[in-house]
Amino acid sequence: MNDWLDEINWNSDGLVPAIAQDHQTGRVLMMAWMNREALALTAAEQRAIYWSRSRGKLWRKGEESGHVQKLHELRLDCDADVIILKVEQLGGIACHTGRESCFYRVLEDGAWKTVDAVRKDPHAIYSAGHAHD
């Protein structure tokens, strides 16, 4: 039933990098890791579910922030070792800093310059004690 999962070249930790991309604009929102269970659940539930390496558990994107990523399409690259999720980002915020995308810094003149505004104060998104979603 889940034979498609066997076609993925999981890394030595049993993980595959997953890039979340806005299904309408194509903007890269974030990158996270998925294990077999996370990817199977993502496909089954039609929402992004990642593997949190720091917490050692499944991470249902938006479970704390409400910023769920609704899945529109899953893609696998030519080497079968990177996943792209085309998603609808609820709330328009993917990053725990309160920005649309985690990729909000641009290299300019040898320094990283922040070019995207915070859409919502992270303290207003997360309850005390939670560093990130």
Side-chain angles (χ1 to χ4, degrees), residues 11-123:
N11 73 10
S12 57
D13 295 322
L15 302 174
V16 65
I19 298 163
Q21 187 178 37
D22 186 286
H23 76 110
Q24 289 180 317
T25 67
R27 175 143 196 212
V28 174
L29 301 174
M30 58 175 278
M31 177 272 166
W33 296 90
M34 289 184 164
N35 63 6
R36 190 180 177 98
E37 183 184 10
L39 186 52
L41 287 169
T42 293
E45 296 183 22
Q46 293 293 294
R47 63 172 286 188
I49 300 169
Y50 301 106
W51 176 255
S52 172
R53 294 179 302 169
S54 60
R55 289 185 259 180
K57 66 175 192 171
L58 291 173
W59 160 34
R60 284 178 160 79
K61 175 70 179 160
E63 65 190 341
E64 293 174 23
S65 64
H67 299 149
V68 171
Q69 292 174 343
K70 290 176 63 178
L71 185 66
H72 283 252
E73 185 176 76
L74 272 176
R75 287 186 178 237
L76 182 62
D77 81 324
C78 56
D79 294 324
D81 62 1
V82 180
I83 298 284
I84 285 184
L85 298 85
K86 296 205 172 209
V87 300
E88 176 186 350
Q89 177 65 67
L90 300 188
I93 297 171
C95 185
H96 77 280
T97 65
R99 292 176 174 88
E100 175 189 17
S101 170
C102 294
F103 298 93
Y104 59 85
R105 292 179 282 204
V106 173
L107 186 63
E108 285 185 10
D109 300 322
W112 293 109
K113 181 182 177 193
T114 297
V115 294
D116 292 0
V118 170
R119 290 185 169 190
K120 187 172 184 181
D121 182 342
H123 298 293

Side-chain angles (χ1 to χ4, degrees), residues 1-15:
M1 184 174 143
N2 282 342
D3 291 349
W4 58 276
L5 290 165
D6 295 332
E7 294 183 42
I8 292 167
N9 288 324
W10 306 96
N11 73 10
S12 57
D13 295 322
L15 302 174

